[in-house]
Amino acid sequence: GQNIDQPTEMTATEGAIVQINCTYQTSGFNGLFWYQQHAGEAPTFLSYNVLDGLEEKGRFSSFLSRSKGYSYLLLKELQMKDSASYLCAAVDSNYQLIWGAGTKLIIKP
Amino acid sequence: GAVVSQHPSRVICKSGTSVKIECRSLDFQATTMFWYRQFPKQSLMLMATSNEGSKATYEQGVEKDKFLINHASLTLSTLTVTSAHPEDSSFYICSAWEGQGGNQPQHFGDGTRLSIL
């Protein structure tokens, strides 16, 4: 079956760096998305990776290893507003999104 | 960037009422739109894929006669929750693929919080 695994919850300190991991098993693979979702709001797009390697976009970076079925989202210089859930979603061979359950990130002062 | 508008943002109504939710792509054409439901502290759950000009594709366990989807144009899809009951109370979110989809991100509406009394 198809499956996405990511930690349920993580805690980090303001100003620090945090890495949120995501492993996936899908029938075929056409890329992986990361979304941010604040409580009570809809998800917003953060990044898309389809090739191996690191994509940097400001304070946020996303990494993909296709051979390992693994991705991570790296958040630097954490701010209180980064407290949110981070959703990992892989695109399968039918271009369907397979969603992870999300990682709730708690930022402490 | 691509904008998806969803309306209304919140609905509170009595049991047995039918509720229509609209999802519009404002600055792009969306052949495919998606309808999700999210219960508190849970992940997004895909309900159905809405294709312009054809019948929607429903996920297993989602009643198509209960959740009516109409995608009559390239910029509008609607979800009607018919004869809603308290167990239908949830956060409903639509999204749309920009372009041909695939490696394009889904852009989400702001969601509709439905509360059935």
Side-chain angles (χ1 to χ4, degrees):
Chain A
Q2 307 201 98
N3 191 51
I4 304 284
D5 283 318
Q6 52 181 131
T8 304
E9 186 174 296
M10 297 182 70
T11 301
T13 305
E14 189 177 15
I17 299 173
V18 71
Q19 177 175 311
I20 302 174
N21 296 324
C22 170
T23 58
Y24 61 88
Q25 290 178 309
T26 55
S27 53
F29 180 74
N30 283 295
L32 187 138
F33 290 98
W34 283 96
Y35 283 83
Q36 179 190 61
Q37 185 178 24
H38 285 100
E41 299 181 10
T44 54
F45 168 74
L46 289 178
S47 67
Y48 172 74
N49 294 67
V50 68
L51 300 177
D52 286 353
L54 185 68
E55 297 270 350
E56 296 186 70
K57 191 184 294 184
R59 294 189 298 114
F60 292 7
S61 302
S62 56
F63 171 84
L64 177 67
S65 169
R66 296 177 65 131
S67 62
K68 295 181 179 179
Y70 167 70
S71 173
Y72 68 72
L73 181 68
L74 189 72
L75 293 75
K76 301 177 183 177
E77 301 170 18
L78 285 170
Q79 302 174 10
M80 297 303 293
K81 67 178 182 179
D82 297 329
S83 293
S85 286
Y86 291 86
L87 307 175
C88 168
V91 186
D92 71 9
S93 57
N94 293 320
Y95 291 97
Q96 296 292 316
L97 278 184
I98 311 301
W99 291 89
T103 298
K104 183 179 180 181
L105 178 63
I106 299 169
I107 310 295
K108 294 185 175 180
Chain B
V3 177
V4 174
S5 173
Q6 186 173 342
H7 178 81
S9 58
R10 187 175 182 92
V11 179
I12 301 173
C13 58
K14 294 180 179 179
S15 184
T17 306
S18 290
V19 178
K20 179 187 277 190
I21 303 170
E22 293 188 347
C23 181
R24 294 179 184 273
S25 56
L26 297 185
D27 51 359
F28 65 99
Q29 293 184 329
T31 306
T32 304
M33 291 185 174
F34 302 89
W35 288 97
Y36 293 88
R37 182 167 52 184
Q38 187 174 37
F39 292 104
K41 298 184 179 181
Q42 294 187 21
S43 187
L44 295 173
M45 185 182 74
L46 180 65
M47 298 176 66
T49 302
S50 171
N51 299 294
E52 187 267 336
S54 63
K55 291 183 179 181
T57 303
Y58 290 82
E59 295 300 302
Q60 192 173 8
V62 178
E63 302 174 56
K64 61 180 182 181
D65 295 329
K66 172 105 180 141
F67 299 98
L68 302 178
I69 292 172
N70 187 345
H71 193 157
S73 77
L74 286 172
T75 59
L76 175 64
S77 176
T78 61
L79 168 68
T80 301
V81 184
T82 61
S83 186
H85 289 96
E87 60 266 27
D88 297 322
S89 298
S90 187
F91 190 44
Y92 292 85
I93 314 172
C94 73
S95 71
W97 254 336
E98 184 178 10
Q100 297 301 311
N103 62 352
Q104 298 295 321
Q106 288 185 22
H107 297 284
F108 287 84
D110 289 336
T112 297
R113 192 161 302 282
L114 178 62
S115 300
I116 308 298
L117 305 176

